[in-house]
Amino acid sequence: MSSADAATTLDKTTGAPADAGGSGRFWAPRRVPAGIVAVLLLAGAGLLLYDIAAVRAHRPAMRWRRALARELAERPLDDTWVLAGAALAAALGLWLLALALTPGLRSLLPMRRPHPDVRAALHRDAAAQVLRDRAMDVSGVRSVRVRMRRRKAAVRAVSHFRAPDDVRADLDTTLTEAVHGLGLTHAPRLALRVDRAPRKG
């Protein structure tokens, strides 16, 4: 596996600012939600401006605007449709706020910065593959599954011809070194489980 496949390197203008010691979380551009909101706002504003200009030119307002004004004037605030519309608008607003205030790109693990102008991240799948390869090099390991998260690396290994306690001790040493060797800003906590392979027959 080449380093180009394992790491994503971006310049200092990408994402949130970080100190020289480590890369901060990478921020997702989220172009699709931003584009949808921009198109909807542009279409709504254009339609409203057109209707206002038509009224100024002594033409009747559009039917939808007259119907909307009448419904808003006649329906009480505790009406089911009014409450449903308010709940939908609030949910949409909270979703947009969450997109604006959270970085996203949870699959990228920030790495330490070798230079102030360089930021790098390691993909979770690449980090999990590195740990799996290192674990498979330990004598007595038959199979390994690795689940990499931001704060924890969950490793489940199956041993066959060695005692599980001995395999676990070797795995703990090897994987601890491997986790620190990944160069991540925040090294994940290692959660290791070793089971014995079932006997045949």
Side-chain angles (χ1 to χ4, degrees), residues 138-140 159 161-173 194:
V138 174
S139 176
S159 65
F161 64 85
R162 292 181 66 198
D165 291 341
D166 295 339
V167 174
R168 178 184 176 85
D170 290 347
L171 279 175
D172 187 63
T173 302
V194 179

Side-chain angles (χ1 to χ4, degrees), residues 37-129:
V37 172
V39 169
L40 291 177
L41 288 177
L42 182 62
L47 189 61
L48 185 60
L49 287 175
Y50 174 81
D51 193 44
I52 292 175
V55 172
R56 291 287 185 177
H58 305 290
R59 294 182 180 179
M62 290 184 178
R63 183 178 301 175
W64 67 268
R65 194 157 74 94
R66 295 198 305 268
L68 180 61
R70 183 174 63 254
E71 290 291 335
L72 292 176
E74 295 176 355
R75 287 185 180 271
L77 293 179
D78 58 351
D79 184 79
T80 303
W81 288 105
V82 174
L83 295 176
L88 179 62
L92 181 61
L94 290 175
W95 177 62
L96 293 175
L97 282 175
L99 290 180
L101 298 177
T102 55
L105 295 181
R106 298 179 63 85
S107 61
L108 295 181
L109 303 174
M111 301 179 68
R112 291 191 295 269
R113 301 177 70 170
H115 190 276
D117 293 337
V118 176
R119 298 183 68 227
L122 188 64
H123 199 280
R124 283 190 192 184
D125 294 341
Q129 185 64 41

Side-chain angles (χ1 to χ4, degrees), residues 12 16 52 67 116-117 120 133 135 137 143 171 177 191 201:
K12 63 181 179 180
I52 292 175
D117 293 337
D133 292 343
D137 291 338
S143 63
L171 279 175
E177 295 176 355

